[in-house]
Amino acid sequence: MSAAVETQSVAAQPVAEDDGPLSCWWLRAVAIVMVFGFAGLILITTLSYRNAPPIPARVVDPNGALVFTADDVGEGQAVFLRYGLMANGSIWGHGAYLGPDFSAAALHRMGLVTATAIASEQQHQAVGSLSRSQAAAVQAEAIVSLKTNRYDEASGTLQFTDAQATAFNEEIAHWAGYFHDPARNAGLKADLITDPTELRQFTAFVTWAAWASVAARPGEAHSYTNNFPYDPSVGNVAISGALLWSAISLMVLLAGISAVLLAFGKFDYLGWITRGHDVKPQMLPGRSSRGQDALVKFFVVVALLLLAQALVGGAVAHYRADPGSFYGFQLERIFPSNLMRTWHLQLAIFWIATAYVAAALFLGRSLRTDEPRWLAGWTHVLFAAFAVVIFGSLLGEWAGIAQLLGSLWFWLGNQGWEYLELGRVWQVLLVVGLFVWFALLWSLVRSRALADRAAQPIVRMFLVAALAIPVFYVPAMFFGAKTNYTVVDTWRFWIIHLWVEGFFEFFATTVVALTFYQLGLTRRNVALRVIYLDAILYFLGGLMGTGHHWYFTGQTNANMALSALFSALEVVPLTLLTLDAWDFVRTTRGDRDAAGKQMVIPHKWTFYFLMAVGFWNFVGAGMLGFLINLPIVSYYEVGTLLTPNHGHAAMMGVFGMLAIALMVFVLRQTSSEARWPGIEKYIRCAFWGTNVGLAMMVLMSLFPGGLLQVWDVLENGYWHARSLDYIGSERSHLIEWLRMPGDVVFIVFGAVPLVIAATKCYLNLRAQR
């Protein structure tokens, strides 16, 4: 949501009968921003195919002997995905943080082997025996050797040096040892990969990624990955553009904030504030319809999935704190860490999306005076469909990682791509289900069915935002297991950033605007301005800003320049959250009517959770997100604990708190005045439990752990900060244990009370039938 999470005093009312149309320039401005933003985003995406690091048809040693082929690299990437290794470690900083960055580790060892070979050949000594000047000369020679790009595009052949060929052969044994012991690989199943062919193919993929990380891109002085990862021993240091575009992006940020604050100063009708009118809500608690009551069971599932995600998240954290044992039990035999992390991400997406879907239908029904006969029946069908996709995909991910599906792993099991792990069949079913949901929503709110025709402009934006959700999930189908990693990561962040942080954000704004309008807390044109302003501000920075995820994944410096400048603008709408914050507080307290009587706000806890959305949007998405988005910071930070620090504060703090706010709204609307106090006490506990628990996770573990890890990157290189020597150190384990109190508070006082509240509401409704 954006500036959009602020609200107004309760002395506001819904649309006046004579509320005229807004200026046509609002929609024109949205259209211009969308066209311009998508043009830039599509250009960058198209260039990713051209600029992606090449996969050589053949890699040979100086004598022409074959080292590995393009097929080996493709099959090795499939091994990486099939065994869920992106949920253990990472490539080019993208993936999980339990294990190492595979590309960084392989690159560093390649550098060591190269330096050893040069020292032996030129100095006839071991590297450790060299004088400082000799060691410096050897390192400089090794850097030149590794930076030299020996790929011949015409023949598709890459020639390795003897040292690089030797390093490849040694890597096979190294990874065989890594997959052997769960205590040394952060809780993978013991002897996860033992097949010699699969080990060789996996090593080919990792070695290719390491080569692309260091070899100079033709015509440039830096590598295909803009010299990522940071490792001075192989000549990988930050490129000039990382510093330059970071500095200029700060200027863009200040300019953007100044321009928007100027607009808010000049036009006092911007924001949510509507003053001087009586509240006349169009929805009253306890008067829900049969179809709306049928939606409550969605929120029981939402609460259960949230609880499951929190429990699984605690287990994932335990694998970092004590990977060798789960309180004396070898948990990795049944639930290895890569499966648990996969479930942790998928459960988050599922419970949040389910809450949005159900709340949208609830709001859609509230716009009508009558209820279509098909609503309750189709609600049950949609519920069953979601249950099949959710639990079928989770089971498939377990079976896929356990290698029980054979060649069907990609289709029915675990695709292996972070955030998009569910099998392709489940993805297709999910998209179909979302289109069915949109069809139901459209049938509910089409113009001739609306009770309040004045609401049509808000409803149209609501439908556009809803349609974007299934449409912009479709890019998840644009790649396969063996597609070039750079191309995949480009499309992957169309989903992770553009779908989640873009169109889900826009959809959330329309939902809140429609809710406030229905509650009589804002006039129609005020709500519309917020929607349009959000669209302008978010998509201005958010579309091309998607590229801040691609700084070091094989894209060129041009992407870094464009993405850094526009990504800085993503912070602008988040700074507006403070403008009307006090009015939001006043709304939850209630004003006094003409007789001086305190007005009761039936949706106080909904507003409290919306205030939490505003807080975490500013802190998690704004402060902690901007911290890691600058190219020069991202170069050293990506893939450290500062990434999940931002992820937890933004994903749970913004989208999660909004999902809970919508849940609380529905529970209150479907509960009578007599029944609500028995539910409200659990909601009150859940509010403090979720927010305090999340704050404890961030402040006691994720943020300090991330800062210390980035410090180690600066001191010793990226490979070291991501190695098990660092992750397995006593200090790192202590920081992970410090996360436990926050996890306990979140689970016991946050997630569990929400399960109780949703279940009580559901049982109350059944008892009334």
Side-chain angles (χ1 to χ4, degrees):
M1 287 173 354
S2 78
V5 182
E6 311 108 40
T7 188
Q8 67 294 330
S9 77
V10 290
Q13 81 164 27
V15 65
E17 291 296 328
D18 59 349
D19 236 352
L22 287 176
S23 168
C24 61
W25 277 104
W26 280 105
L27 269 177
R28 290 176 183 175
V30 172
I32 291 170
V33 166
M34 296 287 282
V35 170
F36 177 74
F38 270 112
L41 183 61
I42 292 171
L43 173 63
I44 295 172
T45 302
T46 302
L47 290 176
S48 72
Y49 285 84
R50 179 191 304 174
N51 298 324
I55 301 178
R58 299 170 66 250
V59 179
V60 299
D61 67 14
N63 297 320
L66 186 66
V67 181
F68 59 84
T69 66
D71 287 340
D72 291 327
V73 173
E75 292 295 340
Q77 181 172 288
V79 170
F80 171 73
L81 299 172
R82 184 165 65 249
Y83 286 93
L85 295 177
M86 201 173 188
N88 173 255
S90 59
I91 295 291
W92 300 335
H94 288 184
Y97 324 105
L98 297 164
D101 183 274
F102 298 110
S103 52
L107 174 60
H108 186 74
R109 284 189 292 271
M110 184 186 291
L112 292 177
V113 172
T114 300
T116 298
I118 293 173
S120 176
E121 179 182 346
Q122 296 184 358
Q123 304 294 336
H124 307 290
Q125 297 182 62
V127 172
S129 302
L130 298 176
S131 65
R132 292 179 64 182
S133 59
Q134 289 173 327
V138 166
Q139 183 177 354
E141 187 69 25
I143 290 173
V144 171
S145 176
L146 291 169
K147 286 290 182 185
T148 301
N149 192 337
R150 300 177 181 84
Y151 174 64
D152 179 44
E153 185 176 4
S155 64
T157 300
L158 169 63
Q159 185 182 90
F160 267 6
T161 63
D162 280 325
Q164 288 174 311
T166 300
F168 170 77
N169 292 322
E170 292 180 358
E171 281 294 293
I172 298 175
H174 172 83
W175 294 118
Y178 175 79
F179 295 127
H180 170 66
D181 184 7
R184 293 293 297 166
N185 59 31
L188 294 174
K189 186 177 179 181
D191 294 318
L192 180 66
I193 305 177
T194 57
D195 181 82
T197 300
E198 290 184 332
L199 285 169
R200 185 177 179 279
Q201 291 169 340
F202 172 76
T203 303
F205 168 61
V206 170
T207 301
W208 167 79
W211 167 79
S213 300
V214 72
R217 182 185 288 273
E220 303 285 355
H222 53 260
S223 73
Y224 291 100
T225 59
N226 288 325
N227 278 359
F228 182 85
Y230 173 63
D231 189 347
S233 69
V234 298
N236 270 11
V237 294
I239 64 174
S240 303
L243 180 59
L244 176 64
W245 299 119
S246 296
I248 296 178
S249 69
L250 292 174
M251 296 173 59
V252 172
L253 170 63
L254 292 174
I257 292 175
S258 299
V260 172
L261 291 180
L262 177 64
F264 267 70
K266 178 176 176 57
F267 305 108
D268 59 1
Y269 53 74
L270 295 177
W272 283 105
I273 300 174
T274 305
R275 297 186 177 94
H277 301 278
D278 295 329
V279 174
K280 296 179 180 179
Q282 300 178 30
M283 290 190 297
L284 296 174
R287 300 186 183 181
S288 55
S289 68
R290 179 170 171 265
Q292 288 176 316
D293 291 346
L295 290 165
V296 172
K297 61 178 172 291
F298 279 84
F299 293 99
V300 176
V301 173
V302 166
L304 289 171
L305 292 178
L306 168 60
L307 176 60
Q309 190 220 350
L311 291 171
V312 169
V316 172
H318 186 92
Y319 274 119
R320 285 182 62 95
D322 184 13
S325 172
F326 189 80
Y327 303 107
F329 179 69
Q330 301 304 124
L331 184 65
E332 76 279 351
R333 295 177 181 175
I334 305 173
F335 299 115
S337 61
N338 52 346
L339 173 64
M340 299 300 271
R341 188 180 187 273
T342 295
W343 279 353
H344 184 58
L345 295 182
Q346 290 302 302
L347 285 167
I349 295 171
F350 283 143
W351 75 263
I352 291 172
T354 301
Y356 288 10
V357 163
L361 289 174
F362 192 97
L363 284 171
R365 167 60 186 89
S366 71
L367 293 166
R368 304 172 56 123
T369 54
D370 65 319
E371 177 162 295
R373 289 177 293 179
W374 50 262
L375 180 59
W378 272 101
T379 296
H380 298 320
V381 171
L382 191 64
F383 179 81
F386 266 59
V388 169
V389 171
I390 292 172
F391 296 106
S393 65
L394 293 174
L395 182 61
E397 285 154 2
W398 170 78
I401 288 178
Q403 308 304 303
L404 299 178
L405 296 176
S407 60
L408 295 177
W409 65 272
F410 183 83
W411 292 95
L412 295 176
N414 170 54
Q415 283 191 52
W417 297 111
E418 186 187 32
Y419 285 100
L420 302 173
E421 290 93 344
L422 67 168
R424 182 57 54 86
V425 168
W426 305 113
Q427 282 185 334
V428 172
L429 291 176
L430 177 62
V431 171
V432 171
L434 289 173
F435 273 114
V436 170
W437 162 72
F438 173 76
L440 297 177
L441 198 58
W442 179 84
S443 297
L444 273 175
V445 302
R446 63 187 189 275
S447 59
R448 65 176 180 271
L450 293 178
D452 180 6
R453 295 298 179 89
Q456 284 185 10
I458 303 178
V459 172
R460 280 196 292 267
M461 298 306 294
F462 175 57
L463 286 175
V464 169
L467 179 60
I469 291 176
V471 168
F472 283 94
Y473 191 82
V474 172
M477 320 290 179
F478 291 177
F479 51 84
K482 300 178 185 178
T483 306
N484 188 296
Y485 190 92
T486 295
V487 173
V488 172
D489 233 41
T490 301
W491 286 118
R492 199 167 65 88
F493 281 103
W494 272 65
I495 312 302
I496 299 173
H497 182 95
L498 190 61
W499 188 62
V500 175
E501 298 181 45
F503 287 100
F504 253 125
E505 190 91 34
F506 180 50
F507 176 70
T509 299
T510 63
V511 167
V512 173
L514 192 57
T515 302
F516 281 3
Y517 176 80
Q518 288 293 92
L519 291 176
L521 294 171
T522 190
R523 294 174 61 183
R524 184 197 68 183
N525 282 358
V526 171
L528 275 176
R529 288 191 193 100
V530 169
I531 292 172
Y532 292 145
L533 185 62
D534 259 18
I536 293 168
L537 294 179
Y538 262 107
F539 292 127
L540 180 63
L543 291 176
M544 279 193 278
T546 305
H548 72 249
H549 299 282
W550 306 327
Y551 291 152
F552 311 113
T553 60
Q555 298 270 16
T556 64
N557 211 348
N559 168 69
M560 182 180 292
L562 283 173
S563 301
L565 298 184
F566 283 93
S567 181
L569 294 175
E570 292 182 86
V571 184
V572 172
L574 303 180
T575 62
L576 304 180
L577 294 169
T578 59
L579 292 181
D580 293 332
W582 187 246
D583 289 286
F584 207 158
V585 174
R586 290 175 58 200
T587 300
T588 64
R589 295 178 177 177
D591 283 350
R592 296 182 181 275
D593 60 19
K597 182 180 179 182
Q598 188 78 21
M599 298 173 62
V600 178
I601 301 299
H603 288 286
K604 179 179 75 172
W605 292 105
T606 298
F607 291 128
Y608 269 52
F609 275 104
L610 288 177
M611 283 195 292
V613 172
F615 172 80
W616 289 110
N617 220 342
F618 181 74
V619 174
M623 293 170 57
L624 301 180
F626 185 70
L627 169 66
I628 65 176
N629 279 358
L630 291 176
I632 193 63
V633 177
S634 183
Y635 178 72
Y636 300 104
E637 176 282 327
V638 62
T640 68
L641 281 179
L642 284 184
T643 300
N645 175 61
H646 156 64
H648 281 74
M651 185 73 171
M652 178 61 220
V654 179
F655 297 104
M657 292 298 173
L658 176 60
I660 297 174
L662 295 174
M663 179 200 302
V664 173
F665 171 76
V666 171
L667 297 185
R668 181 65 186 96
Q669 282 296 118
T670 53
S671 298
S672 65
E673 294 293 336
R675 300 276 194 179
W676 177 243
I679 297 173
E680 184 182 22
K681 60 184 179 181
Y682 296 103
I683 299 298
R684 181 188 302 110
C685 180
F687 172 79
W688 294 110
T690 53
N691 282 281
V692 172
L694 180 58
M696 291 172 68
M697 288 183 221
V698 169
L699 295 175
M700 296 174 63
S701 180
L702 293 172
F703 185 65
L707 289 180
L708 290 171
Q709 195 171 17
V710 171
W711 182 264
D712 193 76
V713 172
L714 295 167
E715 289 288 301
N716 301 305
Y718 186 79
W719 68 274
H720 184 268
R722 290 294 308 277
S723 70
L724 295 181
D725 289 336
Y726 179 84
I727 296 173
S729 66
E730 291 185 8
R731 186 179 68 181
S732 294
H733 283 172
L734 174 61
I735 292 173
E736 287 300 329
W737 280 114
L738 288 174
R739 178 174 162 175
M740 188 175 182
D743 283 357
V744 171
V745 169
F746 188 93
I747 293 168
V748 176
F749 299 103
V752 171
L754 284 175
V755 172
I756 297 173
T759 303
K760 283 179 68 69
C761 182
Y762 177 73
L763 293 177
N764 288 342
L765 291 173
R766 288 184 63 86
Q768 292 173 10
R769 293 177 184 173

